[in-house]
């Protein structure tokens, strides 16, 4: 009987021999010297250390679901461009075996033996579990030297694999955080809109404007900036250790949002113009009523009669020619003068109330106009650029329209 152990030992010896040429070809120059050729595998290992990702164990879920979840984990780790990620499929191809679990057994120690044979210091294992609530995933980063769990990430349950697929790459990258603390950089995002959500590897990290750069691990990360009413923008951002990466993002409004913006702020702008006109008109009316009607009436009609009935003597220059005539006439007929004075008093009082009322209306309209000017923005802000989705020969197509 050919035991699993007897099959394991030759493959543990053949694994590094099969893997070394691949690593050497990836790192060596086109025509290396003998010394460079011998050092190429070591250099490649130092720059991109191997990391083994084993198939997620299926618990209550199907093997195709576990395989698809494993591919999501591998994709997320390869996006970092820090490790040489070796999946179970890579291992099977290198060792020409049907399944690595059949080769090394189902025990965890066999997985660690495989990782050590490939020169990896860490390996990623996990489980995909289906319960009545849905699918959940658990990932563990193991130190192959002792089997200790370096970090662990869980997610779920979610209804199906579609919801899990978008999360797995970011979850796998978060799993590597303990290994990448010394290889961090930062990302500063500038967006054309305030209040836009900033997501990195499907994790919400803040909103614009960002108060400070976002610390991120070395590698390539998926940046998404989104806001209600706008077309979400995504980009692959490379982060280098101790370096600050800057990303400018222009969010394009949807046609419905642009139209609603134009209508709302157009109304505010019209209201601001009307309120400004009302304020100017009311204050101008108050000024004209006071200076062109009330003040002359008081100087030429009311004041001379008041002075005459009181027995006062006008000082030089106090009364103009018209006022002096009224003063003299009032001395001849005091009864008629007093009746006219009472009539003028009521008229002046009404005009003063009218002036005060216009001033109050003008001030209120001025406050309203200031509020409308400050709360409203340019209604044509998005008239020059609008994003939409239309049907093309190859499927949905993003279209940009407007005046450029």
């Amino acid at each position: 009987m050919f035991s699993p152990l007897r099959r394991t030992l030759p493959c543990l010896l053949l694994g590094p021999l099969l893997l070394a040429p691949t690593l050497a070809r990836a790192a060596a120059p086109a025509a290396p010297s003998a010394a460079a050729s011998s050092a190429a595998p070591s250099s490649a290992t130092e720059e991109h250390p191997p990391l083994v990702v084993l198939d997620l164990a299926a618990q209550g879920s199907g093997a195709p679901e576990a395989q698809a979840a494993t591919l999501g984990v591998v994709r997320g780790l390869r996006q970092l461009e820090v490790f040489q990620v070796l999946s179970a499929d890579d291992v099977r191809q290198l060792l020409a075996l049907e399944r690595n679990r059949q080769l090394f057994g189902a025990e965890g120690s066999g997985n660690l033996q495989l990782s050590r044979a490939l020169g990896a210091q860490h390996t990623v294992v996990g489980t995909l579990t289906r319960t009545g609530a849905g699918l959940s995933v658990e990932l563990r980063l193991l130190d192959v030297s002792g089997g200790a769990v370096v970090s662990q990430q869980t997610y779920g349950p979610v209804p199906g694999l579609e919801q899990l697929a978008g999360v797995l790459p970011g979850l796998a990258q978060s799993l590597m955080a303990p290994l990448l603390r010394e290889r961090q950089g930062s990302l500063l995002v500038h967006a054309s809109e305030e209040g836009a959500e900033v997501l990195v590897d499907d994790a919400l990290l803040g909103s614009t404007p960002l108060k400070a750069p976002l610390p991120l691990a070395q590698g390539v990360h998926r940046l998404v900036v989104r806001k209600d009413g706008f077309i979400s923008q995504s980009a692959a951002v490379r982060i280098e250790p101790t370096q600050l990466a800057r990303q400018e993002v222009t969010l394009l409004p949807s046609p419905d949002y642009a139209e609603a913006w134009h209508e709302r702020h157009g109304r505010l702008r019209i209201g601001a113009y009307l309120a400004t006109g009302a304020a100017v008109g009311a204050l101008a009316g108050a000024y004209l009523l006071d200076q062109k009607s009330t003040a002359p009436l008081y100087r030429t009609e009311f004041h001379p009669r008041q002075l005459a009935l009181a027995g006062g003597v006008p000082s030089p220059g106090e009364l103009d020619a018209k006022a002096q005539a009224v003063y003299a006439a009032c001395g001849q007929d005091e009864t008629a003068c007093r009746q006219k004075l009472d009539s003028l008093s009521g008229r002046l009082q009404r005009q003063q109330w009218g002036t005060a009322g216009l001033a109050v209306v003008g001030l209120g309209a001025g406050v309203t106009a200031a509020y409308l000017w400050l709360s409203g923005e340019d209604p044509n802000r998005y008239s020059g650029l609008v994003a939409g989705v239309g049907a093309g020969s190859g499927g949905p197509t993003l279209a940009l329209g407007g005046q450029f």
Side-chain angles (χ1 to χ4, degrees):
M1 178 79 57
F2 190 61
S3 67
L5 180 61
R6 292 178 61 189
R7 286 182 294 173
T8 300
L9 292 177
C11 292
L12 288 176
L13 296 175
L14 288 173
L17 298 177
L18 291 171
L19 183 60
T22 302
L23 296 177
R25 286 192 298 270
S33 62
S37 300
S38 62
S42 175
S43 174
T45 302
E46 290 178 0
E47 293 181 359
H48 299 283
L51 176 67
V52 176
V53 180
L54 300 179
D55 288 337
L56 299 186
Q59 294 185 357
S61 59
E65 291 178 322
Q67 184 178 8
T70 304
L71 292 177
V73 173
V74 171
R75 183 171 64 254
L77 295 176
R78 285 176 175 166
Q79 287 174 353
L80 291 175
E81 296 187 359
V82 175
F83 305 98
Q84 183 164 4
V85 181
L86 302 172
S87 67
D89 286 337
D90 298 328
V91 174
R92 284 191 287 269
Q93 292 175 6
L94 289 172
L95 302 181
L97 295 174
E98 181 181 358
R99 294 185 62 84
N100 62 293
R101 285 194 297 270
Q102 294 177 352
L103 172 62
F104 296 105
E107 299 296 329
S109 60
N111 295 335
L112 299 181
Q113 289 177 359
L114 171 62
S115 300
R116 283 194 291 267
L118 297 175
Q121 297 181 357
H122 298 88
T123 186
V124 176
V125 299
T127 57
L128 182 68
T129 306
R130 177 176 288 279
T131 61
L135 282 174
S136 58
V137 64
E138 177 191 19
L139 301 178
R140 298 185 302 278
L141 177 65
L142 303 181
D143 185 343
V144 301
S145 61
V149 178
V150 179
S151 67
Q152 183 173 348
Q153 295 286 333
T154 59
Y155 188 83
V158 294
L161 189 61
E162 295 80 7
Q163 293 79 10
L164 197 61
V167 178
L168 280 172
L171 195 69
Q173 293 175 1
S174 300
L175 189 71
M176 298 295 108
L179 304 183
L180 300 175
R181 286 196 182 102
E182 297 181 356
R183 308 179 66 155
Q184 279 192 339
S186 55
L187 171 65
L188 186 60
V189 179
H190 296 279
S192 59
E193 298 293 326
E194 294 185 358
E197 295 180 336
V198 178
L199 297 90
V200 177
D201 301 327
D202 301 309
L204 179 61
L205 299 185
S207 60
T208 57
L210 295 175
K211 296 181 179 179
L214 302 173
L216 297 174
Q218 177 188 1
V220 178
H221 299 269
R222 181 173 178 264
L223 170 67
V224 176
V225 181
R226 66 189 184 190
K227 184 180 181 179
D228 290 342
F230 292 81
I231 307 300
S232 298
Q233 300 294 315
S234 61
V237 181
R238 182 182 297 276
I239 302 298
E240 300 294 343
T242 69
Q243 300 296 317
L244 174 64
R246 299 179 182 272
Q247 188 73 22
E248 300 288 341
V249 179
T250 300
L251 292 176
L252 306 176
S254 65
D256 291 341
Y257 183 89
E259 182 179 359
W261 174 278
H262 180 78
E263 291 181 358
R264 177 177 182 273
H265 290 277
R267 290 193 296 267
L268 290 174
R269 186 59 56 89
I270 293 174
Y273 280 119
L274 292 176
T276 301
V280 173
L283 293 175
Y287 175 81
L288 292 175
L289 180 61
D290 181 69
Q291 297 297 316
K292 300 300 182 180
S293 178
T294 304
L297 184 65
Y298 176 82
R299 289 194 306 268
T300 61
E301 298 286 342
F302 183 83
H303 180 60
R305 289 181 171 86
Q306 185 183 43
L307 187 63
L309 292 175
V313 178
S315 59
E318 182 179 357
L319 301 178
D320 57 15
K322 184 178 180 180
Q324 290 177 358
V326 172
Y327 178 82
C330 191
Q332 298 174 0
D333 189 353
E334 292 187 2
T335 302
C337 182
R338 188 175 299 279
Q339 291 176 350
K340 185 64 174 179
L341 183 66
D342 293 339
S343 175
L344 290 171
S345 177
R347 181 181 173 183
L348 288 172
Q349 187 176 19
R350 289 191 297 272
Q351 289 188 188
Q352 288 174 341
W353 278 109
T355 301
L358 288 173
V360 170
V361 171
L363 290 175
V367 172
T368 302
Y371 169 77
L372 293 175
W373 283 113
L374 293 175
S375 60
E377 297 188 41
D378 182 8
N380 298 318
R381 176 177 179 178
Y382 300 116
S383 62
L385 183 62
V386 174
V389 178
S393 58
T397 304
L398 180 65
L400 305 180
Q403 301 174 354
F404 294 87

